[in-house]
Amino acid sequence: MDPSSASKQKNRSRLRSWLWYAVVAVALLVDLAIILLVVGVLRDPTRSLHGMLGAFPWSTLGPHFVLVSTLTLLLALIARKRRAARALTAATIGFALATTEASLFITGSIVAAAHKAGGSVNPFGALWLGSMTAAEPDETVTVGEWGGAPIQAAIYEPAAADRPAPVIVYIHGGGFRIGSFLGNSSDMRWLANRGWLVISIGYRLWTDEEPTWNKAPADVACGLAWTHANASKYGGDASRIALLGDSAGGNLAINYGYVYVAQVAMGHSDT
């Protein structure tokens, strides 16, 4: 063999080895990032920022994590067959197996919980994410005032043909400290386009100088009372009001929504 040809072949072989080394290294880094998110799911999100950030993406990106971790496993297996970067490949295979199994379990648990609650989830369809572009509400109103601070709400009206429409009162999340009644507007518009009158209620957020544990619930109750009294003006049916909340908003919806419903049942919806 020509010495120059042998040298070129050796260089190509070396280049392929380095390329596979890079591929396996990137796959390992990806698996380590997913492992961090998996560990975050196991931690209490109320006590750990890692726990909060780790749990956050799974409901949206769970199927993607399954796909990515499976891809890293396949790449590592191919690299093993080619006998490239053997020690690194072995480590990547181990982490890829762990992330694939964990991703399948977490995503499967979310899908099972949704079906158990009467919903439906298509994990394959979820791979194609919809637009998250913010949507403008049809109207922003002040539903009350406490201590000189206005309590505001965003209104997303249903299509005219769907009136009177069932009502969703949405309460945003954010650990009682951040977030806005204008957040998740694309989701609110999605619900309105499917026949709901959606009213997203704001509430006072706590600061280091001012706790609002006893103020946020009052704001939500005020917004609920306003919704009950005014839903018909926006095409809604005040006798069919559902509560929806994320994180801190879910806490407010569960703990104080029932109180409000009891007040309505007793004829005290103006409190």
Side-chain angles (χ1 to χ4, degrees), residues 73-246:
L73 177 59
L74 290 175
L75 289 173
L77 290 172
I78 293 173
R80 181 184 181 186
K81 187 176 181 180
R82 290 175 174 269
R83 298 182 178 181
R86 294 183 181 181
L88 184 63
T89 298
T92 303
I93 290 174
F95 278 104
L97 282 170
T99 55
T100 301
E101 292 178 3
S103 299
L104 281 169
F105 176 78
I106 295 171
T107 304
S109 299
I110 294 172
V111 172
H115 282 280
K116 186 176 180 181
S120 62
V121 178
N122 182 345
F124 299 101
L127 289 170
W128 285 266
L129 296 175
S131 173
M132 295 298 289
T133 303
E136 293 293 328
D138 293 300
E139 189 174 343
T140 300
V141 298
T142 297
V143 299
E145 183 177 310
W146 288 88
I151 304 166
Q152 294 183 292
I155 299 173
Y156 303 83
E157 296 185 32
D162 297 326
R163 305 183 183 200
V167 182
I168 285 182
V169 172
Y170 174 71
I171 308 169
H172 70 82
F176 302 96
R177 184 165 190 170
I178 60 175
S180 167
F181 69 99
L182 295 171
N184 293 334
S185 58
S186 59
D187 293 340
M188 303 302 103
R189 179 58 66 192
W190 186 91
L191 291 166
N193 289 342
R194 284 155 179 77
W196 293 84
L197 167 64
V198 183
I199 300 177
S200 176
I201 298 174
Y203 53 91
R204 281 170 286 181
L205 304 174
W206 71 273
T207 65
D208 292 336
E209 294 75 28
E210 182 182 11
T212 59
W213 63 269
N214 59 341
K215 298 174 182 177
D219 295 348
V220 170
C222 181
L224 284 167
W226 183 94
T227 299
H228 187 264
N230 294 275
S232 59
K233 298 178 183 178
Y234 300 94
D237 183 351
S239 66
R240 294 187 293 165
I241 298 178
L243 300 180
L244 172 65
D246 290 328

Side-chain angles (χ1 to χ4, degrees), residues 30-55:
V30 170
D31 287 327
L32 289 174
I34 297 177
I35 284 290
L36 284 175
L37 294 175
V38 171
V39 174
V41 171
L42 303 176
R43 303 187 67 181
D44 184 349
T46 65
R47 296 177 179 273
S48 164
L49 180 61
H50 178 209
M52 183 176 69
L53 295 177

